[in-house]
Amino acid sequence: MKYLFSSRPAILAALASVLVAPSALAETSVQFGTGFEYASGEFGATEDTTIYEVPFTVRLKTGNWTFRAKVPLAAIDGPGGVVPGDDNGGERDNSGPGGGGDDDDDDGDGDPTTFAGIDEVGLADVTLSGTYTFNLTDNAYLDTTAKATLPTGDEEKDLGTGETDFAFLAELGTDTDAGGVYVQGGYKQRGGATREDGALALVGGYARLSDGILVGADVSWAEAVVAGGEDLSSATAYTSFRLTDTIRLSLFAEKGLSDASADLAAGVGITWRTNFRRPFERR
């Protein structure tokens, strides 16, 4: 599987061409969002790392296509070797300057290598994605997504991995006036000499309690970021409220189910949007 996605420039070019070529005749809507997120835990190490994040997001929907960009500002405080990101603080390549990872390396003198503490603020890794939705029935859908995480965060400050990652996802779900369920599976190609590619999975559901109020929960899993490490897994509860016809407030709380995940994560978000088919998103 390491060589399945051998041409990164070609993938980026294909994604870029899709971003600029939606049908001019399709109905188009836009969403802007921001918020505040917090995550804390050992992330497979021996000391806690705390991550604060302010994400800025924009989403464009035209016809069956949806395109999304996430630009996060992050603050990280910990022993080093953990970065913000979709891997719930996934380790970066520990062969680079500053090192990291969830195992102590030996520097040849018989003592474990230690890393200076990290207390940094700045731009983290930017994520771009494109999704095509197949409307299977009036209430059932299949989403296929290609996602790229770009190395915009400073690797030496543990604000980014220093690598470009790609993920390919498929989500099958239902969406009705009462609520819905969804299951997602995919594969992530992680850049770097020590970071491992791996499968991803998620399953969840949500209910609309009344007009404008939604609650839901899901459980996620991902293969370990480094060889010999523990798989990532977490459970998340979320809700959203319609403040006006175009503005929604959302909240989420997440509990790690493995030592490699954050012990606890939580966040609040606010979005301005026009009419999207499935009006919920916890991040």
Side-chain angles (χ1 to χ4, degrees), residues 31-70:
Q31 169 189 296
F32 298 96
T34 188
F36 179 79
E37 299 180 8
Y38 161 89
S40 181
E42 294 181 352
F43 297 97
T46 58
E47 297 180 49
D48 282 352
T49 294
T50 300
I51 300 171
Y52 303 96
E53 187 173 306
V54 177
F56 296 93
T57 62
V58 59
R59 186 164 69 169
L60 169 70
K61 179 175 173 61
T62 180
N64 289 53
W65 287 102
T66 304
F67 306 105
R68 188 172 186 265
K70 176 182 176 183

PDB file of all heavy atoms in Angstrom, residues 31-70:
ATOM      1  N   GLN A  31     -20.104  28.566   2.886  1.00  0.00           N
ATOM      2  CA  GLN A  31     -20.113  28.560   4.344  1.00  0.00           C
ATOM      3  C   GLN A  31     -18.758  29.057   4.853  1.00  0.00           C
ATOM      4  O   GLN A  31     -17.712  28.666   4.341  1.00  0.00           O
ATOM      5  CB  GLN A  31     -20.345  27.149   4.878  1.00  0.00           C
ATOM      6  CG  GLN A  31     -20.112  27.004   6.375  1.00  0.00           C
ATOM      7  CD  GLN A  31     -20.150  25.560   6.804  1.00  0.00           C
ATOM      8  OE1 GLN A  31     -21.187  24.914   6.682  1.00  0.00           O
ATOM      9  NE2 GLN A  31     -19.031  25.044   7.284  1.00  0.00           N
ATOM     10  N   PHE A  32     -18.791  29.919   5.864  1.00  0.00           N
ATOM     11  CA  PHE A  32     -17.593  30.364   6.554  1.00  0.00           C
ATOM     12  C   PHE A  32     -17.728  29.996   8.026  1.00  0.00           C
ATOM     13  O   PHE A  32     -18.820  30.076   8.593  1.00  0.00           O
ATOM     14  CB  PHE A  32     -17.407  31.880   6.428  1.00  0.00           C
ATOM     15  CG  PHE A  32     -17.233  32.357   5.014  1.00  0.00           C
ATOM     16  CD1 PHE A  32     -18.328  32.833   4.296  1.00  0.00           C
ATOM     17  CD2 PHE A  32     -16.000  32.321   4.400  1.00  0.00           C
ATOM     18  CE1 PHE A  32     -18.181  33.274   2.996  1.00  0.00           C
ATOM     19  CE2 PHE A  32     -15.834  32.749   3.089  1.00  0.00           C
ATOM     20  CZ  PHE A  32     -16.932  33.231   2.391  1.00  0.00           C
ATOM     21  N   GLY A  33     -16.624  29.601   8.639  1.00  0.00           N
ATOM     22  CA  GLY A  33     -16.698  29.202  10.031  1.00  0.00           C
ATOM     23  C   GLY A  33     -15.415  29.473  10.797  1.00  0.00           C
ATOM     24  O   GLY A  33     -14.336  29.611  10.218  1.00  0.00           O
ATOM     25  N   THR A  34     -15.554  29.549  12.115  1.00  0.00           N
ATOM     26  CA  THR A  34     -14.408  29.634  13.004  1.00  0.00           C
ATOM     27  C   THR A  34     -14.852  29.084  14.354  1.00  0.00           C
ATOM     28  O   THR A  34     -15.994  28.664  14.536  1.00  0.00           O
ATOM     29  CB  THR A  34     -13.886  31.080  13.121  1.00  0.00           C
ATOM     30  OG1 THR A  34     -12.650  31.078  13.864  1.00  0.00           O
ATOM     31  CG2 THR A  34     -14.890  31.968  13.833  1.00  0.00           C
ATOM     32  N   GLY A  35     -13.947  29.072  15.317  1.00  0.00           N
ATOM     33  CA  GLY A  35     -14.284  28.531  16.617  1.00  0.00           C
ATOM     34  C   GLY A  35     -13.058  28.422  17.494  1.00  0.00           C
ATOM     35  O   GLY A  35     -12.026  29.057  17.258  1.00  0.00           O
ATOM     36  N   PHE A  36     -13.180  27.579  18.502  1.00  0.00           N
ATOM     37  CA  PHE A  36     -12.073  27.338  19.424  1.00  0.00           C
ATOM     38  C   PHE A  36     -12.110  25.877  19.844  1.00  0.00           C
ATOM     39  O   PHE A  36     -13.168  25.364  20.201  1.00  0.00           O
ATOM     40  CB  PHE A  36     -12.198  28.236  20.657  1.00  0.00           C
ATOM     41  CG  PHE A  36     -11.101  28.015  21.677  1.00  0.00           C
ATOM     42  CD1 PHE A  36      -9.846  28.573  21.494  1.00  0.00           C
ATOM     43  CD2 PHE A  36     -11.328  27.240  22.804  1.00  0.00           C
ATOM     44  CE1 PHE A  36      -8.825  28.372  22.425  1.00  0.00           C
ATOM     45  CE2 PHE A  36     -10.326  27.033  23.735  1.00  0.00           C
ATOM     46  CZ  PHE A  36      -9.067  27.602  23.542  1.00  0.00           C
ATOM     47  N   GLU A  37     -10.956  25.204  19.801  1.00  0.00           N
ATOM     48  CA  GLU A  37     -10.866  23.788  20.158  1.00  0.00           C
ATOM     49  C   GLU A  37      -9.716  23.558  21.132  1.00  0.00           C
ATOM     50  O   GLU A  37      -8.696  24.255  21.089  1.00  0.00           O
ATOM     51  CB  GLU A  37     -10.682  22.933  18.903  1.00  0.00           C
ATOM     52  CG  GLU A  37     -11.828  23.055  17.923  1.00  0.00           C
ATOM     53  CD  GLU A  37     -11.653  22.201  16.686  1.00  0.00           C
ATOM     54  OE1 GLU A  37     -10.703  21.387  16.656  1.00  0.00           O
ATOM     55  OE2 GLU A  37     -12.461  22.337  15.750  1.00  0.00           O
ATOM     56  N   TYR A  38      -9.903  22.560  21.982  1.00  0.00           N
ATOM     57  CA  TYR A  38      -8.930  22.221  23.021  1.00  0.00           C
ATOM     58  C   TYR A  38      -8.736  20.712  23.030  1.00  0.00           C
ATOM     59  O   TYR A  38      -9.701  19.953  22.905  1.00  0.00           O
ATOM     60  CB  TYR A  38      -9.451  22.704  24.382  1.00  0.00           C
ATOM     61  CG  TYR A  38      -8.806  22.058  25.589  1.00  0.00           C
ATOM     62  CD1 TYR A  38      -7.662  22.605  26.163  1.00  0.00           C
ATOM     63  CD2 TYR A  38      -9.351  20.906  26.166  1.00  0.00           C
ATOM     64  CE1 TYR A  38      -7.070  22.032  27.280  1.00  0.00           C
ATOM     65  CE2 TYR A  38      -8.780  20.322  27.284  1.00  0.00           C
ATOM     66  CZ  TYR A  38      -7.637  20.886  27.839  1.00  0.00           C
ATOM     67  OH  TYR A  38      -7.055  20.300  28.933  1.00  0.00           O
ATOM     68  N   ALA A  39      -7.498  20.267  23.171  1.00  0.00           N
ATOM     69  CA  ALA A  39      -7.210  18.837  23.311  1.00  0.00           C
ATOM     70  C   ALA A  39      -6.040  18.676  24.266  1.00  0.00           C
ATOM     71  O   ALA A  39      -5.072  19.450  24.232  1.00  0.00           O
ATOM     72  CB  ALA A  39      -6.875  18.205  21.958  1.00  0.00           C
ATOM     73  N   SER A  40      -6.119  17.654  25.115  1.00  0.00           N
ATOM     74  CA  SER A  40      -5.046  17.418  26.079  1.00  0.00           C
ATOM     75  C   SER A  40      -4.922  15.927  26.342  1.00  0.00           C
ATOM     76  O   SER A  40      -5.914  15.186  26.352  1.00  0.00           O
ATOM     77  CB  SER A  40      -5.345  18.156  27.396  1.00  0.00           C
ATOM     78  OG  SER A  40      -4.299  17.961  28.328  1.00  0.00           O
ATOM     79  N   GLY A  41      -3.687  15.475  26.540  1.00  0.00           N
ATOM     80  CA  GLY A  41      -3.434  14.076  26.844  1.00  0.00           C
ATOM     81  C   GLY A  41      -1.977  13.737  26.645  1.00  0.00           C
ATOM     82  O   GLY A  41      -1.167  14.575  26.232  1.00  0.00           O
ATOM     83  N   GLU A  42      -1.646  12.497  26.915  1.00  0.00           N
ATOM     84  CA  GLU A  42      -0.266  12.046  26.732  1.00  0.00           C
ATOM     85  C   GLU A  42       0.036  11.655  25.298  1.00  0.00           C
ATOM     86  O   GLU A  42       1.200  11.580  24.903  1.00  0.00           O
ATOM     87  CB  GLU A  42       0.015  10.868  27.670  1.00  0.00           C
ATOM     88  CG  GLU A  42      -0.028  11.262  29.143  1.00  0.00           C
ATOM     89  CD  GLU A  42       0.279  10.098  30.076  1.00  0.00           C
ATOM     90  OE1 GLU A  42       0.378   8.952  29.562  1.00  0.00           O
ATOM     91  OE2 GLU A  42       0.419  10.315  31.291  1.00  0.00           O
ATOM     92  N   PHE A  43      -0.977  11.346  24.510  1.00  0.00           N
ATOM     93  CA  PHE A  43      -0.815  10.995  23.097  1.00  0.00           C
ATOM     94  C   PHE A  43       0.225   9.881  22.918  1.00  0.00           C
ATOM     95  O   PHE A  43       1.045   9.911  22.011  1.00  0.00           O
ATOM     96  CB  PHE A  43      -0.411  12.215  22.273  1.00  0.00           C
ATOM     97  CG  PHE A  43      -1.435  13.307  22.258  1.00  0.00           C
ATOM     98  CD1 PHE A  43      -1.326  14.388  23.121  1.00  0.00           C
ATOM     99  CD2 PHE A  43      -2.514  13.258  21.393  1.00  0.00           C
ATOM    100  CE1 PHE A  43      -2.270  15.401  23.113  1.00  0.00           C
ATOM    101  CE2 PHE A  43      -3.469  14.270  21.381  1.00  0.00           C
ATOM    102  CZ  PHE A  43      -3.338  15.342  22.246  1.00  0.00           C
ATOM    103  N   GLY A  44       0.228   8.914  23.819  1.00  0.00           N
ATOM    104  CA  GLY A  44       1.158   7.795  23.724  1.00  0.00           C
ATOM    105  C   GLY A  44       2.503   8.051  24.355  1.00  0.00           C
ATOM    106  O   GLY A  44       3.352   7.152  24.373  1.00  0.00           O
ATOM    107  N   ALA A  45       2.750   9.254  24.873  1.00  0.00           N
ATOM    108  CA  ALA A  45       4.027   9.567  25.515  1.00  0.00           C
ATOM    109  C   ALA A  45       3.870   9.434  27.036  1.00  0.00           C
ATOM    110  O   ALA A  45       2.939   8.804  27.527  1.00  0.00           O
ATOM    111  CB  ALA A  45       4.481  10.964  25.117  1.00  0.00           C
ATOM    112  N   THR A  46       4.785  10.026  27.784  1.00  0.00           N
ATOM    113  CA  THR A  46       4.752   9.909  29.241  1.00  0.00           C
ATOM    114  C   THR A  46       4.338  11.200  29.925  1.00  0.00           C
ATOM    115  O   THR A  46       4.120  11.204  31.136  1.00  0.00           O
ATOM    116  CB  THR A  46       6.132   9.478  29.773  1.00  0.00           C
ATOM    117  OG1 THR A  46       7.114  10.439  29.351  1.00  0.00           O
ATOM    118  CG2 THR A  46       6.497   8.100  29.232  1.00  0.00           C
ATOM    119  N   GLU A  47       4.256  12.304  29.169  1.00  0.00           N
ATOM    120  CA  GLU A  47       3.849  13.582  29.728  1.00  0.00           C
ATOM    121  C   GLU A  47       2.725  14.168  28.882  1.00  0.00           C
ATOM    122  O   GLU A  47       2.619  13.898  27.685  1.00  0.00           O
ATOM    123  CB  GLU A  47       5.030  14.565  29.767  1.00  0.00           C
ATOM    124  CG  GLU A  47       6.181  14.122  30.654  1.00  0.00           C
ATOM    125  CD  GLU A  47       7.295  15.160  30.640  1.00  0.00           C
ATOM    126  OE1 GLU A  47       6.999  16.362  30.828  1.00  0.00           O
ATOM    127  OE2 GLU A  47       8.461  14.778  30.431  1.00  0.00           O
ATOM    128  N   ASP A  48       1.907  15.014  29.507  1.00  0.00           N
ATOM    129  CA  ASP A  48       0.767  15.604  28.810  1.00  0.00           C
ATOM    130  C   ASP A  48       1.198  16.680  27.827  1.00  0.00           C
ATOM    131  O   ASP A  48       2.147  17.433  28.069  1.00  0.00           O
ATOM    132  CB  ASP A  48      -0.203  16.232  29.817  1.00  0.00           C
ATOM    133  CG  ASP A  48      -1.071  15.193  30.503  1.00  0.00           C
ATOM    134  OD1 ASP A  48      -1.035  14.021  30.090  1.00  0.00           O
ATOM    135  OD2 ASP A  48      -1.796  15.563  31.451  1.00  0.00           O
ATOM    136  N   THR A  49       0.477  16.745  26.715  1.00  0.00           N
ATOM    137  CA  THR A  49       0.565  17.839  25.762  1.00  0.00           C
ATOM    138  C   THR A  49      -0.816  18.484  25.652  1.00  0.00           C
ATOM    139  O   THR A  49      -1.822  17.784  25.597  1.00  0.00           O
ATOM    140  CB  THR A  49       1.013  17.346  24.375  1.00  0.00           C
ATOM    141  OG1 THR A  49       2.352  16.851  24.455  1.00  0.00           O
ATOM    142  CG2 THR A  49       0.954  18.463  23.341  1.00  0.00           C
ATOM    143  N   THR A  50      -0.837  19.814  25.636  1.00  0.00           N
ATOM    144  CA  THR A  50      -2.088  20.550  25.491  1.00  0.00           C
ATOM    145  C   THR A  50      -2.054  21.336  24.187  1.00  0.00           C
ATOM    146  O   THR A  50      -1.058  22.002  23.884  1.00  0.00           O
ATOM    147  CB  THR A  50      -2.302  21.516  26.666  1.00  0.00           C
ATOM    148  OG1 THR A  50      -2.338  20.767  27.888  1.00  0.00           O
ATOM    149  CG2 THR A  50      -3.623  22.264  26.515  1.00  0.00           C
ATOM    150  N   ILE A  51      -3.126  21.241  23.413  1.00  0.00           N
ATOM    151  CA  ILE A  51      -3.228  21.911  22.118  1.00  0.00           C
ATOM    152  C   ILE A  51      -4.482  22.774  22.100  1.00  0.00           C
ATOM    153  O   ILE A  51      -5.575  22.303  22.423  1.00  0.00           O
ATOM    154  CB  ILE A  51      -3.292  20.888  20.968  1.00  0.00           C
ATOM    155  CG1 ILE A  51      -2.032  20.017  20.943  1.00  0.00           C
ATOM    156  CG2 ILE A  51      -3.467  21.599  19.625  1.00  0.00           C
ATOM    157  CD1 ILE A  51      -2.117  18.846  19.974  1.00  0.00           C
ATOM    158  N   TYR A  52      -4.305  24.047  21.755  1.00  0.00           N
ATOM    159  CA  TYR A  52      -5.423  24.962  21.530  1.00  0.00           C
ATOM    160  C   TYR A  52      -5.432  25.313  20.043  1.00  0.00           C
ATOM    161  O   TYR A  52      -4.382  25.533  19.453  1.00  0.00           O
ATOM    162  CB  TYR A  52      -5.270  26.244  22.348  1.00  0.00           C
ATOM    163  CG  TYR A  52      -5.149  26.011  23.834  1.00  0.00           C
ATOM    164  CD1 TYR A  52      -3.897  25.950  24.440  1.00  0.00           C
ATOM    165  CD2 TYR A  52      -6.277  25.869  24.634  1.00  0.00           C
ATOM    166  CE1 TYR A  52      -3.770  25.746  25.809  1.00  0.00           C
ATOM    167  CE2 TYR A  52      -6.164  25.660  26.004  1.00  0.00           C
ATOM    168  CZ  TYR A  52      -4.907  25.600  26.579  1.00  0.00           C
ATOM    169  OH  TYR A  52      -4.781  25.391  27.932  1.00  0.00           O
ATOM    170  N   GLU A  53      -6.621  25.382  19.466  1.00  0.00           N
ATOM    171  CA  GLU A  53      -6.694  25.638  18.028  1.00  0.00           C
ATOM    172  C   GLU A  53      -7.861  26.556  17.701  1.00  0.00           C
ATOM    173  O   GLU A  53      -8.955  26.406  18.248  1.00  0.00           O
ATOM    174  CB  GLU A  53      -6.844  24.314  17.274  1.00  0.00           C
ATOM    175  CG  GLU A  53      -6.760  24.442  15.776  1.00  0.00           C
ATOM    176  CD  GLU A  53      -6.753  23.081  15.087  1.00  0.00           C
ATOM    177  OE1 GLU A  53      -5.924  22.233  15.432  1.00  0.00           O
ATOM    178  OE2 GLU A  53      -7.606  22.894  14.197  1.00  0.00           O
ATOM    179  N   VAL A  54      -7.604  27.508  16.817  1.00  0.00           N
ATOM    180  CA  VAL A  54      -8.647  28.374  16.258  1.00  0.00           C
ATOM    181  C   VAL A  54      -8.684  28.101  14.750  1.00  0.00           C
ATOM    182  O   VAL A  54      -7.814  28.576  14.015  1.00  0.00           O
ATOM    183  CB  VAL A  54      -8.370  29.860  16.528  1.00  0.00           C
ATOM    184  CG1 VAL A  54      -9.446  30.729  15.872  1.00  0.00           C
ATOM    185  CG2 VAL A  54      -8.316  30.129  18.034  1.00  0.00           C
ATOM    186  N   PRO A  55      -9.636  27.311  14.289  1.00  0.00           N
ATOM    187  CA  PRO A  55      -9.705  26.998  12.854  1.00  0.00           C
ATOM    188  C   PRO A  55     -10.538  28.027  12.101  1.00  0.00           C
ATOM    189  O   PRO A  55     -11.571  28.494  12.589  1.00  0.00           O
ATOM    190  CB  PRO A  55     -10.389  25.626  12.843  1.00  0.00           C
ATOM    191  CG  PRO A  55     -11.280  25.657  14.051  1.00  0.00           C
ATOM    192  CD  PRO A  55     -10.606  26.535  15.075  1.00  0.00           C
ATOM    193  N   PHE A  56     -10.076  28.361  10.910  1.00  0.00           N
ATOM    194  CA  PHE A  56     -10.859  29.180   9.984  1.00  0.00           C
ATOM    195  C   PHE A  56     -11.186  28.295   8.785  1.00  0.00           C
ATOM    196  O   PHE A  56     -10.290  27.727   8.167  1.00  0.00           O
ATOM    197  CB  PHE A  56     -10.070  30.412   9.550  1.00  0.00           C
ATOM    198  CG  PHE A  56      -9.762  31.349  10.684  1.00  0.00           C
ATOM    199  CD1 PHE A  56      -8.570  31.235  11.378  1.00  0.00           C
ATOM    200  CD2 PHE A  56     -10.673  32.322  11.062  1.00  0.00           C
ATOM    201  CE1 PHE A  56      -8.274  32.091  12.427  1.00  0.00           C
ATOM    202  CE2 PHE A  56     -10.389  33.182  12.118  1.00  0.00           C
ATOM    203  CZ  PHE A  56      -9.192  33.067  12.800  1.00  0.00           C
ATOM    204  N   THR A  57     -12.473  28.165   8.479  1.00  0.00           N
ATOM    205  CA  THR A  57     -12.887  27.250   7.423  1.00  0.00           C
ATOM    206  C   THR A  57     -13.748  27.974   6.401  1.00  0.00           C
ATOM    207  O   THR A  57     -14.473  28.922   6.726  1.00  0.00           O
ATOM    208  CB  THR A  57     -13.680  26.058   7.987  1.00  0.00           C
ATOM    209  OG1 THR A  57     -14.877  26.532   8.627  1.00  0.00           O
ATOM    210  CG2 THR A  57     -12.847  25.270   8.988  1.00  0.00           C
ATOM    211  N   VAL A  58     -13.657  27.497   5.177  1.00  0.00           N
ATOM    212  CA  VAL A  58     -14.559  27.954   4.120  1.00  0.00           C
ATOM    213  C   VAL A  58     -14.980  26.726   3.327  1.00  0.00           C
ATOM    214  O   VAL A  58     -14.172  25.829   3.080  1.00  0.00           O
ATOM    215  CB  VAL A  58     -13.886  29.007   3.208  1.00  0.00           C
ATOM    216  CG1 VAL A  58     -12.634  28.466   2.546  1.00  0.00           C
ATOM    217  CG2 VAL A  58     -14.868  29.509   2.149  1.00  0.00           C
ATOM    218  N   ARG A  59     -16.259  26.658   2.988  1.00  0.00           N
ATOM    219  CA  ARG A  59     -16.784  25.526   2.223  1.00  0.00           C
ATOM    220  C   ARG A  59     -17.649  26.049   1.091  1.00  0.00           C
ATOM    221  O   ARG A  59     -18.513  26.906   1.291  1.00  0.00           O
ATOM    222  CB  ARG A  59     -17.595  24.593   3.126  1.00  0.00           C
ATOM    223  CG  ARG A  59     -18.032  23.331   2.388  1.00  0.00           C
ATOM    224  CD  ARG A  59     -18.490  22.244   3.319  1.00  0.00           C
ATOM    225  NE  ARG A  59     -19.733  22.546   3.981  1.00  0.00           N
ATOM    226  CZ  ARG A  59     -20.434  21.653   4.681  1.00  0.00           C
ATOM    227  NH1 ARG A  59     -19.976  20.416   4.817  1.00  0.00           N
ATOM    228  NH2 ARG A  59     -21.554  21.992   5.268  1.00  0.00           N
ATOM    229  N   LEU A  60     -17.400  25.535  -0.085  1.00  0.00           N
ATOM    230  CA  LEU A  60     -18.145  25.892  -1.289  1.00  0.00           C
ATOM    231  C   LEU A  60     -18.863  24.654  -1.791  1.00  0.00           C
ATOM    232  O   LEU A  60     -18.244  23.606  -1.987  1.00  0.00           O
ATOM    233  CB  LEU A  60     -17.187  26.426  -2.363  1.00  0.00           C
ATOM    234  CG  LEU A  60     -17.771  26.602  -3.773  1.00  0.00           C
ATOM    235  CD1 LEU A  60     -18.770  27.749  -3.792  1.00  0.00           C
ATOM    236  CD2 LEU A  60     -16.645  26.834  -4.781  1.00  0.00           C
ATOM    237  N   LYS A  61     -20.169  24.756  -1.979  1.00  0.00           N
ATOM    238  CA  LYS A  61     -20.946  23.648  -2.528  1.00  0.00           C
ATOM    239  C   LYS A  61     -21.556  24.086  -3.837  1.00  0.00           C
ATOM    240  O   LYS A  61     -22.206  25.136  -3.911  1.00  0.00           O
ATOM    241  CB  LYS A  61     -22.049  23.219  -1.563  1.00  0.00           C
ATOM    242  CG  LYS A  61     -22.914  22.077  -2.097  1.00  0.00           C
ATOM    243  CD  LYS A  61     -23.909  21.613  -1.056  1.00  0.00           C
ATOM    244  CE  LYS A  61     -24.880  20.591  -1.654  1.00  0.00           C
ATOM    245  NZ  LYS A  61     -24.202  19.394  -2.147  1.00  0.00           N
ATOM    246  N   THR A  62     -21.341  23.297  -4.883  1.00  0.00           N
ATOM    247  CA  THR A  62     -21.933  23.574  -6.181  1.00  0.00           C
ATOM    248  C   THR A  62     -22.364  22.257  -6.799  1.00  0.00           C
ATOM    249  O   THR A  62     -21.546  21.362  -7.028  1.00  0.00           O
ATOM    250  CB  THR A  62     -20.950  24.333  -7.102  1.00  0.00           C
ATOM    251  OG1 THR A  62     -21.577  24.572  -8.354  1.00  0.00           O
ATOM    252  CG2 THR A  62     -19.647  23.615  -7.286  1.00  0.00           C
ATOM    253  N   GLY A  63     -23.656  22.102  -6.983  1.00  0.00           N
ATOM    254  CA  GLY A  63     -24.175  20.824  -7.474  1.00  0.00           C
ATOM    255  C   GLY A  63     -23.854  19.707  -6.492  1.00  0.00           C
ATOM    256  O   GLY A  63     -24.109  19.815  -5.297  1.00  0.00           O
ATOM    257  N   ASN A  64     -23.270  18.630  -7.001  1.00  0.00           N
ATOM    258  CA  ASN A  64     -22.900  17.501  -6.147  1.00  0.00           C
ATOM    259  C   ASN A  64     -21.494  17.620  -5.574  1.00  0.00           C
ATOM    260  O   ASN A  64     -21.043  16.735  -4.862  1.00  0.00           O
ATOM    261  CB  ASN A  64     -23.006  16.192  -6.946  1.00  0.00           C
ATOM    262  CG  ASN A  64     -24.444  15.812  -7.233  1.00  0.00           C
ATOM    263  OD1 ASN A  64     -25.196  16.610  -7.758  1.00  0.00           O
ATOM    264  ND2 ASN A  64     -24.837  14.603  -6.892  1.00  0.00           N
ATOM    265  N   TRP A  65     -20.802  18.714  -5.887  1.00  0.00           N
ATOM    266  CA  TRP A  65     -19.436  18.913  -5.407  1.00  0.00           C
ATOM    267  C   TRP A  65     -19.416  19.801  -4.163  1.00  0.00           C
ATOM    268  O   TRP A  65     -20.148  20.786  -4.088  1.00  0.00           O
ATOM    269  CB  TRP A  65     -18.581  19.568  -6.484  1.00  0.00           C
ATOM    270  CG  TRP A  65     -18.217  18.664  -7.620  1.00  0.00           C
ATOM    271  CD1 TRP A  65     -18.780  18.633  -8.859  1.00  0.00           C
ATOM    272  CD2 TRP A  65     -17.192  17.660  -7.623  1.00  0.00           C
ATOM    273  NE1 TRP A  65     -18.182  17.671  -9.636  1.00  0.00           N
ATOM    274  CE2 TRP A  65     -17.200  17.062  -8.905  1.00  0.00           C
ATOM    275  CE3 TRP A  65     -16.267  17.223  -6.669  1.00  0.00           C
ATOM    276  CZ2 TRP A  65     -16.319  16.050  -9.256  1.00  0.00           C
ATOM    277  CZ3 TRP A  65     -15.389  16.209  -7.014  1.00  0.00           C
ATOM    278  CH2 TRP A  65     -15.420  15.625  -8.292  1.00  0.00           C
ATOM    279  N   THR A  66     -18.562  19.443  -3.219  1.00  0.00           N
ATOM    280  CA  THR A  66     -18.302  20.277  -2.051  1.00  0.00           C
ATOM    281  C   THR A  66     -16.793  20.386  -1.863  1.00  0.00           C
ATOM    282  O   THR A  66     -16.096  19.367  -1.847  1.00  0.00           O
ATOM    283  CB  THR A  66     -18.934  19.691  -0.773  1.00  0.00           C
ATOM    284  OG1 THR A  66     -20.333  19.513  -0.978  1.00  0.00           O
ATOM    285  CG2 THR A  66     -18.711  20.610   0.416  1.00  0.00           C
ATOM    286  N   PHE A  67     -16.299  21.624  -1.717  1.00  0.00           N
ATOM    287  CA  PHE A  67     -14.876  21.869  -1.524  1.00  0.00           C
ATOM    288  C   PHE A  67     -14.673  22.607  -0.209  1.00  0.00           C
ATOM    289  O   PHE A  67     -15.458  23.509   0.118  1.00  0.00           O
ATOM    290  CB  PHE A  67     -14.313  22.683  -2.687  1.00  0.00           C
ATOM    291  CG  PHE A  67     -14.605  22.073  -4.025  1.00  0.00           C
ATOM    292  CD1 PHE A  67     -15.583  22.605  -4.852  1.00  0.00           C
ATOM    293  CD2 PHE A  67     -13.926  20.941  -4.441  1.00  0.00           C
ATOM    294  CE1 PHE A  67     -15.872  22.034  -6.078  1.00  0.00           C
ATOM    295  CE2 PHE A  67     -14.206  20.361  -5.665  1.00  0.00           C
ATOM    296  CZ  PHE A  67     -15.175  20.907  -6.486  1.00  0.00           C
ATOM    297  N   ARG A  68     -13.644  22.214   0.501  1.00  0.00           N
ATOM    298  CA  ARG A  68     -13.445  22.754   1.843  1.00  0.00           C
ATOM    299  C   ARG A  68     -11.977  23.061   2.075  1.00  0.00           C
ATOM    300  O   ARG A  68     -11.093  22.298   1.660  1.00  0.00           O
ATOM    301  CB  ARG A  68     -13.942  21.744   2.883  1.00  0.00           C
ATOM    302  CG  ARG A  68     -13.967  22.256   4.310  1.00  0.00           C
ATOM    303  CD  ARG A  68     -14.665  21.225   5.204  1.00  0.00           C
ATOM    304  NE  ARG A  68     -14.855  21.689   6.557  1.00  0.00           N
ATOM    305  CZ  ARG A  68     -14.027  21.431   7.564  1.00  0.00           C
ATOM    306  NH1 ARG A  68     -12.939  20.706   7.348  1.00  0.00           N
ATOM    307  NH2 ARG A  68     -14.277  21.886   8.778  1.00  0.00           N
ATOM    308  N   ALA A  69     -11.718  24.167   2.764  1.00  0.00           N
ATOM    309  CA  ALA A  69     -10.367  24.517   3.190  1.00  0.00           C
ATOM    310  C   ALA A  69     -10.395  24.849   4.671  1.00  0.00           C
ATOM    311  O   ALA A  69     -11.316  25.525   5.151  1.00  0.00           O
ATOM    312  CB  ALA A  69      -9.835  25.703   2.397  1.00  0.00           C
ATOM    313  N   LYS A  70      -9.402  24.363   5.392  1.00  0.00           N
ATOM    314  CA  LYS A  70      -9.273  24.643   6.827  1.00  0.00           C
ATOM    315  C   LYS A  70      -7.892  25.209   7.087  1.00  0.00           C
ATOM    316  O   LYS A  70      -6.878  24.585   6.767  1.00  0.00           O
ATOM    317  CB  LYS A  70      -9.482  23.367   7.641  1.00  0.00           C
ATOM    318  CG  LYS A  70      -9.278  23.558   9.144  1.00  0.00           C
ATOM    319  CD  LYS A  70      -9.439  22.249   9.886  1.00  0.00           C
ATOM    320  CE  LYS A  70      -9.154  22.410  11.368  1.00  0.00           C
ATOM    321  NZ  LYS A  70      -9.251  21.119  12.096  1.00  0.00           N
TER     322      LYS A  70
END
